[in-house]
Amino acid sequence: MKYAFYPGCVSRGGCPELYPAAVRVAGKLGIELEEMKDVACTGAGVLPQYITDPINARTFAKAERMGLPIMTICSTCQGVFGQANLRLQDPEYRARINREYLADEGLEYGGTVEIKHLLWVVMEDYGADHLKAMISRPLKGLKVSPFYGCFLRRPPEVITPTKETNARKSYLEKLIDIVGAELADFGGKGKCCGFPVLTANEESSLSMTAKHTSEAKSKGADCMVTPCPLCHLSLDGNQPRAEQQEGTSIGLPILHMPQFLGLALGFSPAEMYLKRHIVSTMAVESKVNMMT
Amino acid sequence: MQANFSVYRKEPGAGSKAGRSTYTVELPEDATVIDALLKIRDEQDPTLGFRGSCLHGYCGDCTVRINGKAGFSCAVKVAPLAAKGGEIAVEPIRNMPVIKDLISDWDTFLWDKIDVIKPWLEPNGAASLDGEELIDDKVMAKVRQAMSCFYCGLCDEGCTVLPVDFKFVGPAALTKASRFLCDPRDHATAERLRILERPKGMWDCVHCFEASEHCPREIAPTERIIEMRDMAFKHGITNEKVARHHHSFANSVRNSGWLDEGRLAIESEGLTNIKGLMKLLPTAAKAVARGKAPIPFLHHKRPGADKIARIIEKAEAKEK
Ligand code: SF4
Ligand code: SF4
Ligand code: SF4
């Protein structure tokens, strides 16, 4: 199993714990990664499509040349890529982008690249049974709330285009089950984390942070797990400010999906860089340490 | 078939408390939820308030929440719900103040917000008084699709932002704005964008695609909002904060190929906005101490950055 690895910006910027944790987890599972280094940011839904479609087509063309599917570790990267790739399936549009933007560099995108988030790679290509066999530290007794964020759930034509891909809506719950943890389910798991409006309406953004984390907490969660570093910035990084705004205390640790899986694969909390979070992960760490 | 209902009740007036009434009704097999409500009002409780008009799923007037899911009460069949046993819960839709029982206040929910976006065409003068302005059907298809909105409110009901900020203009009104912005006969584009860029306007949307998922007519409100933002990008963003954020983001990708988040956070607040910057400090200090914060001067150029920059410049030159 080999992928063109697209780590995205945040996994080395605002969430520098994510990149090394994901690389370690992939290594342990025997997933081979060839990192894409000379490609651009996806645009993250901030830059307009007329800029991001060409720069993303360039990334796809490079992966196509490598002969590999792309693996992301960010729901936003996954979403923006997926939406762009869908538009680029239109041969006329693709030909125009190729002609106007990629030909200069001698590149051409043929429309064939597959793009998968690590969560999908593990559940679809690696397989649940295979993964189960790799679990060396079942996270028994740890209560975990899933948090997908928007872009691993919507829009359906990008995320769940076929009947089989419908299962993607519950991969996190499945993962929680596979690693032996307990599910603390809650209604907000597929909602927006609030990050996209942090600039335009901070109050609204922080309200969403507070809403999701306190709802999970009220369901008895010890922590929350997310496949998206931007959700992590919102739920972990902004949690203290959200507490302040709403006048409550929440204190819910937020784990990146690879960190969570890594703990069950036997990595120590330090090897998964849990200390780099804003909300203390002590409660999770001590539970995990008792499991070994 | 017999079915049990638990219906949300509230009398008009600020002080009145919400409650529930339960009813058991005998219904034909093909009955819909609104058939049940009509029967309850006719035979058991004339005080029950609810809305409905066409009774054919066409007008969007009877939108309620049925067992926690928003839908048209005239289009949802009772039988499968009754078969599950227990009570069928009927509530007013979310994000809307309740006037009485299932009757919600559409004025503050929707109509006032639609008023704000200038819901009329500003003709560009191309059509002569006695003639007509011919438009490519492809272009018109998009306008028509927006015009098929029947204000059912399902997109607003499903919106992520409205529950935390009721003043947000919401996807239904933004869809209406898109109807005029994609109409070639309209000439008020710049003014419309300025209105939409105000606080609580289109930049407050989190582009979560919930609105599109909730719309029964495939009008794709979320995609339309994204499109209008791209339009604003082309015209020059007038919302100061958002403009700073976007320019910092674009510059970062243009200069290095990827995002410099350290700089983005600071530049989005504004380099002279001391109060805004101070607010970032506690989290930033903690982040630095934990080896988490991205430090702007450590941000390096990525290989291929010049090629990426060339593409961006080309795209901008072409679109502006
Ligand atoms: S979406 Fe985010 S992490 Fe992904 S490439 Fe862009 S800014 Fe970077
Ligand atoms: S996309 Fe925007 S307007 Fe639509 S539901 Fe989400 S936040 Fe609301
Ligand atoms: S855009 Fe769709 S969901 Fe929203 S009010 Fe119109 S028809 Fe209803």
Side-chain angles (χ1 to χ4, degrees):
Chain A
M1 282 173 78
K2 192 171 173 187
Y3 297 86
F5 178 35
Y6 182 88
C9 314
V10 182
S11 74
R12 284 163 307 172
C15 295
E17 65 279 4
L18 173 58
Y19 175 83
V23 170
R24 280 198 168 141
V25 165
K28 185 109 179 195
L29 294 175
I31 299 173
E32 230 184 301
L33 302 179
E34 192 174 329
E35 188 170 329
M36 303 189 82
K37 291 201 164 133
D38 57 349
V39 289
C41 169
T42 62
V46 174
L47 298 184
Q49 260 162 35
Y50 58 82
I51 292 179
T52 56
D53 277 1
I55 61 177
N56 290 328
R58 179 178 178 272
T59 306
F60 302 159
K62 291 202 166 235
E64 210 168 44
R65 201 168 264 187
M66 290 159 83
L68 296 172
I70 295 177
M71 185 185 97
T72 65
I73 49 173
C74 164
S75 304
T76 306
C77 295
Q78 180 66 40
V80 175
F81 269 173
Q83 290 160 39
N85 203 21
L86 186 66
R87 283 190 292 274
L88 288 163
Q89 294 308 304
D90 173 359
E92 236 174 83
Y93 182 55
R94 193 172 64 239
R96 180 167 80 75
I97 300 273
N98 277 330
R99 194 176 55 240
E100 289 175 3
Y101 298 101
L102 305 192
D104 281 359
E105 246 188 283
L107 286 170
E108 186 183 346
Y109 180 44
T112 64
V113 153
E114 222 196 328
I115 306 149
K116 283 191 163 182
H117 187 284
L118 172 63
L119 180 63
W120 300 356
V121 167
V122 208
M123 301 305 279
E124 290 167 8
D125 303 356
Y126 200 76
D129 292 335
H130 202 173
L131 189 63
K132 228 177 241 164
M134 291 296 289
I135 304 300
S136 59
R137 182 203 279 135
L139 304 177
K140 264 216 164 73
L142 191 69
K143 278 194 95 174
V144 186
S145 284
F147 191 88
Y148 289 87
C150 302
F151 298 123
L152 280 196
R153 294 292 281 257
R154 287 174 301 272
E157 61 275 20
V158 173
I159 305 302
T160 51
T162 59
K163 238 191 170 155
E164 299 81 63
T165 46
N166 245 335
R168 288 177 175 168
K169 286 193 208 156
S170 51
Y171 279 170
L172 278 179
E173 288 90 326
K174 227 169 144 187
L175 182 69
I176 290 169
D177 180 55
I178 289 173
V179 303
E182 202 182 313
L183 176 68
D185 210 5
F186 80 111
K189 66 186 171 191
K191 297 262 174 238
C192 174
C193 66
F195 191 81
V197 281
L198 192 58
T199 314
N201 188 339
E202 184 179 291
E203 198 183 329
S204 203
S205 174
L206 295 178
S207 297
M208 289 183 216
T209 301
K211 196 169 154 195
H212 301 316
T213 47
S214 30
E215 194 185 340
K217 188 103 193 189
S218 75
K219 299 283 159 116
D222 294 312
C223 65
M224 194 182 255
V225 59
T226 177
C228 180
L230 294 172
C231 292
H232 195 273
L233 286 175
S234 185
L235 300 169
D236 173 69
N238 283 339
Q239 203 182 116
R241 280 163 72 201
E243 285 173 325
Q244 208 174 24
Q245 176 180 296
E246 306 290 316
T248 51
S249 79
I250 305 162
L252 183 73
I254 316 291
L255 268 50
H256 296 284
M257 173 255 152
Q259 290 178 318
F260 175 64
L261 175 57
L263 293 174
L265 292 174
F267 287 112
S268 70
E271 286 170 314
M272 290 291 104
Y273 303 91
L274 293 193
K275 282 275 179 292
R276 285 198 180 164
H277 294 191
I278 296 295
V279 177
S280 166
T281 52
M282 273 316 288
V284 175
E285 288 181 45
S286 47
K287 269 203 171 180
V288 168
N289 286 332
M290 294 213 305
M291 292 169 195
T292 44
Chain B
M1 136 185 84
Q2 207 178 51
N4 303 312
F5 289 86
S6 161
V7 184
Y8 178 96
R9 302 300 301 269
K10 188 179 173 294
E11 282 307 303
S16 79
K17 260 190 132 159
R20 272 168 196 283
S21 298
T22 52
Y23 308 96
T24 301
V25 219
E26 194 54 45
L27 294 161
E29 277 308 312
D30 62 350
T32 63
V33 172
I34 207 161
D35 292 332
L37 295 174
L38 286 164
K39 196 154 190 234
I40 291 168
R41 193 171 62 188
D42 285 350
E43 295 172 5
Q44 300 183 31
D45 185 352
T47 70
L48 180 62
F50 57 92
R51 275 206 178 100
S53 181
C54 77
L55 305 191
H56 285 89
Y58 203 78
C59 73
D61 195 36
C62 67
T63 318
V64 288
R65 277 172 82 74
I66 301 160
N67 282 350
K69 197 168 178 282
F72 308 132
S73 54
C74 72
V76 177
K77 290 253 183 356
V78 174
L81 302 172
K84 286 187 193 147
E87 284 169 347
I88 300 165
V90 187
E91 297 161 318
I93 59 176
R94 293 174 300 184
N95 303 334
M96 208 196 292
V98 170
I99 297 174
K100 173 181 159 56
D101 303 341
L102 303 173
I103 302 172
S104 312
D105 179 6
W106 284 77
D107 281 347
T108 51
F109 176 62
L110 194 53
W111 307 130
D112 294 353
K113 290 176 177 176
I114 284 184
D115 279 351
V116 171
I117 59 100
K118 203 175 161 67
W120 61 86
L121 192 91
E122 288 282 1
N124 57 14
S128 55
L129 273 181
D130 53 345
E132 38 182 10
E133 187 184 349
L134 291 179
I135 294 166
D136 184 353
D137 192 59
K138 252 210 201 129
V139 176
M140 222 35 216
K142 203 150 165 215
V143 181
R144 265 200 308 270
Q145 194 197 21
M147 285 167 72
S148 75
C149 168
F150 61 140
Y151 311 111
C152 65
L154 281 181
C155 55
D156 279 19
E157 206 271 346
C159 174
T160 317
V161 174
L162 284 167
V164 297
D165 183 6
F166 185 69
K167 296 226 163 75
F168 172 48
V169 64
L174 288 170
T175 297
K176 188 73 178 169
S178 147
R179 178 251 169 274
F180 295 107
L181 277 167
C182 63
D183 192 325
R185 296 166 301 177
D186 187 84
H187 86 152
T189 303
E191 187 194 347
R192 290 187 191 282
L193 289 172
R194 252 199 322 278
I195 294 172
L196 296 178
E197 287 204 68
R198 288 182 198 151
K200 316 282 181 197
M202 69 174 172
W203 293 115
D204 278 39
C205 157
V206 293
H207 49 79
C208 62
F209 290 94
E210 295 263 10
S212 295
E213 199 169 75
H214 283 78
C215 175
R217 296 239 164 127
E218 295 184 3
I219 294 168
T222 308
E223 284 84 344
R224 284 173 186 271
I225 295 167
I226 293 173
E227 233 174 63
M228 293 190 292
R229 290 175 170 199
D230 287 4
M231 264 183 182
F233 206 92
K234 273 186 217 173
H235 278 255
I237 298 171
T238 55
N239 179 314
E240 237 182 87
K241 249 187 153 180
V242 173
R244 273 201 304 267
H245 181 74
H246 278 63
H247 291 146
S248 176
F249 199 117
N251 282 337
S252 172
V253 180
R254 194 177 300 133
N255 295 335
S256 64
W258 58 306
L259 183 60
D260 183 348
E261 288 162 89
R263 176 151 296 158
L264 182 69
I266 296 167
E267 290 183 352
S268 298
E269 279 304 328
L271 287 169
T272 50
N273 173 9
I274 303 300
K275 214 172 126 211
L277 291 171
M278 289 298 283
K279 176 187 77 186
L280 295 175
L281 263 184
T283 323
K286 215 176 201 178
V288 170
R290 303 208 169 148
K292 184 176 172 65
I295 301 166
F297 60 81
L298 290 180
H299 188 84
H300 59 272
K301 216 178 189 141
R302 191 166 285 188
D306 49 326
K307 308 227 166 64
I308 295 159
R310 195 141 13 108
I311 293 183
I312 297 178
E313 269 146 30
K314 231 179 178 179
E316 278 180 337
K318 204 170 279 244
E319 295 287 339
K320 277 198 172 155

